[in-house]
Amino acid sequence: MYRPLWSYDVRKTEEWLAGMAEQGWIFEKLNRWSRCFHFQERKPETRVYRIAYEKMSSPVLPKTLQAEGWEIATTAGKWEFTANSQPESAIRTSPVRDGVVKHNRFITYLFFAMIIYFTVILLNFSAAMFTGWVVEGGRNVVESPMWIVTYLFMAFVLASVIFGIYSIVKITRTNKQLQGTENVDAVSVHQQLDGKTESELRRAGRLIRKVKFAWIYSPDKMEQWLESMELKGFNLYRVNKIGSVFYFIEGEPRRIAYRLDYQRGPTESYYAIHREAGWKEKFVSYSNMENWTIWSQAYEEGRERPQLYSDRTSRLKHAKRIAITYTAAFLPLITFYIYFIISYISRAETIQDWFLWNSSGLFMIAILIFGSIIFRIWAYYGRLRRETTAVHG
């Protein structure tokens, strides 16, 4: 049976294989290149399947898994399919799937790179068409039988972008399920109010809204801003799903420590540890690449401000990792855009042509935006480094 996107949701695939076994079709092997599953017709039976991805797979399962009744059903490359004939409720130990999560995360990085590259091609093509037909009135457009090839290629590029976005959303949701974080909402649920109450507070002027973009690139300043709002009596109520709109309810001044934390693929244990330490998550980002959490904890006057990390050195290393991550993400794009602008300048006859032809102006704006992001995130690291040096010095 052909299932091209089976690895996007391994839990669903496991349930599908178990359902096939109940119908008398026992999974035998997988052709990972053709994405076809092969079955053998036998007596219907109950089977629980688990899918794992291991770079260094072993032909023999660990003894703890063997004792639990697990056996290798088949392998396909680095993919390993294990089966268990016991009822799922009786199984206490299962194969770990950290390798699947890491593999999925790598695939999303590839899709992000593909989307960015193809988006640049679409912008380039759209700008060329706009310049040729709108700005120049079609005077320099020459009809050619090869135009159909161009249009087919651009349709392929557009379809690839749409497919890439779908893949990222699907794989991100699967990773959250495998990590046990699918129940961690992207909006605070600690004091959720109904829509009617929110409307009444808004009409009374007690519910205010503040818009903050790109706060992840200066997390220390964002922490100070949130804490200053609390001291003024504006208590953070919730954050919208994309993390750009902050809602406050006018109340009593409070001393609340805020910490913005970046993690690459956090697990449920990450949230459990901080919750046990008294922290509450006010916002959790949905992105598979940018897992940001806004933590808060109340403290009394005269007491030391709570810290998410035990020492400044750990926080400094964490800030450096964030800076390197975003630099690695945006610096190649800046280099790519600069190359295009240089090529445009060499072919443009006037300044007007330079800005109109193939949207060089848009590329310049993109360079300024991405450049400012890199500058801001390294400035954040620099501020923490100076503070750490001052304390230890």
Side-chain angles (χ1 to χ4, degrees):
M1 290 189 178
Y2 179 62
R3 289 179 72 92
L5 305 180
W6 67 267
S7 60
Y8 281 18
D9 192 340
V10 293
R11 279 191 170 183
K12 188 175 182 179
T13 302
E14 292 167 354
E15 294 172 358
W16 173 67
L17 292 174
M20 293 293 290
E22 291 178 353
Q23 298 175 28
W25 296 98
I26 307 303
F27 175 50
E28 289 292 325
K29 67 176 182 178
L30 164 70
N31 187 322
R32 60 194 179 100
W33 301 113
S34 65
R35 317 294 283 182
C36 287
F37 287 76
H38 298 264
F39 298 85
Q40 185 180 37
E41 188 175 8
R42 287 193 285 181
K43 183 180 178 181
E45 59 181 275
T46 299
R47 280 198 170 195
V48 177
Y49 286 92
R50 287 293 181 269
I51 302 174
Y53 185 90
E54 301 293 341
K55 291 184 178 180
M56 301 294 293
S57 60
S58 172
V60 180
L61 289 175
K63 292 183 179 180
T64 53
L65 294 180
Q66 293 183 35
E68 197 67 29
W70 290 101
E71 59 181 22
I72 297 178
T74 188
T75 58
K78 297 176 182 178
W79 290 99
E80 183 178 82
F81 295 77
T82 54
N84 197 318
S85 298
Q86 297 186 79
E88 190 166 5
S89 58
I91 300 174
R92 295 171 298 175
T93 305
S94 298
V96 296
R97 294 188 279 199
D98 293 344
V100 177
V101 174
K102 292 180 181 178
H103 172 74
N104 284 350
R105 192 176 300 128
F106 175 74
I107 295 299
T108 58
Y109 294 159
L110 295 181
F111 275 120
F112 269 112
M114 181 194 74
I115 290 173
I116 292 172
Y117 176 72
F118 281 165
T119 300
V120 170
I121 293 178
L122 285 173
L123 289 174
N124 188 29
F125 177 77
S126 301
M129 295 297 293
F130 177 82
T131 303
W133 289 103
V134 179
V135 178
E136 298 179 357
R139 293 188 300 273
N140 296 326
V141 177
V142 180
E143 294 186 3
S144 170
M146 297 302 293
W147 271 108
I148 185 63
V149 177
T150 302
Y151 290 135
L152 287 175
F153 174 72
M154 297 314 300
F156 166 76
V157 169
L158 179 60
S160 298
V161 171
I162 295 173
F163 176 71
I165 294 173
Y166 166 79
S167 299
I168 290 173
V169 172
K170 185 71 174 179
I171 294 174
T172 298
R173 186 179 295 116
T174 297
N175 269 10
K176 284 183 175 291
Q177 293 174 348
L178 295 178
Q179 293 172 315
T181 59
E182 70 270 24
N183 294 323
V184 179
D185 296 332
V187 181
S188 171
V189 295
H190 298 297
Q191 49 178 7
Q192 194 74 28
L193 301 175
D194 56 65
K196 182 179 179 180
T197 305
E198 279 198 20
S199 299
E200 292 176 354
L201 289 172
R202 189 177 293 111
R203 285 194 296 269
R206 292 189 56 206
L207 180 65
I208 64 172
R209 185 180 69 170
K210 297 286 185 179
V211 179
K212 285 283 185 178
F213 293 110
W215 49 264
I216 60 177
Y217 308 118
S218 297
D220 56 336
K221 293 184 177 180
M222 187 64 183
E223 292 168 356
Q224 295 170 7
W225 178 72
L226 289 172
E227 292 176 2
S228 67
M229 292 293 289
E230 293 284 355
L231 289 174
K232 295 176 183 177
F234 296 102
N235 310 141
L236 181 61
Y237 160 56
R238 68 180 178 92
V239 186
N240 73 335
K241 290 186 177 181
I242 62 175
S244 60
V245 182
F246 294 74
Y247 295 85
F248 298 86
I249 295 178
E250 187 175 1
E252 297 295 328
R254 303 186 303 182
R255 290 188 176 274
I256 304 289
Y258 282 95
R259 279 290 178 262
L260 279 57
D261 193 35
Y262 170 85
Q263 293 290 323
R264 191 174 297 172
T267 61
E268 179 61 27
S269 61
Y270 162 79
Y271 295 99
I273 290 171
H274 292 308
R275 287 169 187 158
E276 290 177 3
W279 292 92
K280 296 180 180 179
E281 65 269 26
K282 304 297 291 186
F283 169 78
V284 180
S285 64
Y286 183 77
S287 171
N288 196 38
M289 294 190 70
E290 293 184 355
N291 288 285
W292 282 91
T293 304
I294 298 179
W295 294 99
S296 69
Q297 185 175 153
Y299 67 102
E300 297 178 359
E301 186 176 1
R303 294 188 60 184
E304 185 179 357
R305 185 168 173 263
Q307 298 292 332
L308 197 65
Y309 294 100
S310 57
D311 61 277
R312 290 182 178 271
T313 303
S314 298
R315 194 180 184 195
L316 183 64
K317 291 180 179 179
H318 187 258
K320 186 176 182 179
R321 180 159 61 91
I322 296 173
I324 292 175
T325 299
Y326 283 104
T327 302
F330 293 119
L331 190 58
L333 293 177
I334 294 176
T335 305
F336 187 70
Y337 293 154
I338 290 176
Y339 166 77
F340 268 97
I341 289 178
I342 293 175
S343 66
Y344 296 158
I345 292 176
S346 63
R347 284 179 284 179
E349 297 179 359
T350 65
I351 296 295
Q352 184 180 9
D353 292 338
W354 177 42
F355 277 98
L356 289 178
W357 195 62
N358 288 337
S359 65
S360 294
L362 293 178
F363 288 149
M364 290 186 64
I365 294 174
I367 290 173
L368 291 175
I369 293 174
F370 295 151
S372 66
I373 289 173
I374 294 176
F375 174 80
R376 290 177 62 185
I377 202 69
W378 280 105
Y380 162 62
Y381 170 74
R383 289 192 297 271
L384 283 185
R385 186 175 182 179
R386 286 191 296 271
E387 290 178 7
T388 303
T389 303
V391 171
H392 291 289

